[in-house]
Amino acid sequence: MTQAKETDEIVVASAKSGTFLSLNPKDLSVKHELDMSGISTVKSTYAFLYERGGELYVHAIDDNVNETILHYSLK
């Protein structure tokens, strides 16, 4: 679920560590960055869905199989 839609940005994400990066394809500079370990104290596995314009959806499943869906507008 890390594929960017309708954008040329390069998306790099880690389901285990909960990190997400969107990179400018011209120079690989970081456009958007999110680190879920700094937000959540519960150990989880993450899936990311990134849409153009900085819209990011995060699906988290913790060790107790509790599911959470979060929405972020990255600037």
Side-chain angles (χ1 to χ4, degrees):
M1 285 182 48
T2 59
Q3 182 62 40
K5 293 186 177 183
E6 297 183 22
T7 182
D8 59 350
E9 295 171 41
I10 298 168
V11 175
V12 180
S14 171
K16 191 171 185 176
S17 69
T19 56
F20 171 88
L21 296 168
S22 115
L23 307 174
N24 183 328
K26 294 179 183 174
D27 61 5
L28 298 181
S29 61
V30 176
K31 290 181 77 174
H32 303 293
E33 180 176 6
L34 181 68
D35 183 356
M36 295 303 292
S37 66
I39 297 171
S40 175
T41 59
V42 178
K43 184 178 178 183
S44 299
T45 301
Y46 300 93
F48 299 91
L49 176 62
Y50 179 67
E51 298 286 336
R52 82 185 307 182
E55 298 297 313
L56 176 65
Y57 296 87
V58 180
H59 178 238
I61 301 175
D62 68 18
D63 289 341
N64 295 322
V65 194
N66 295 316
E67 297 185 58
T68 306
I69 297 176
L70 304 164
H71 173 256
Y72 294 94
S73 292
L74 305 176
K75 308 250 179 207

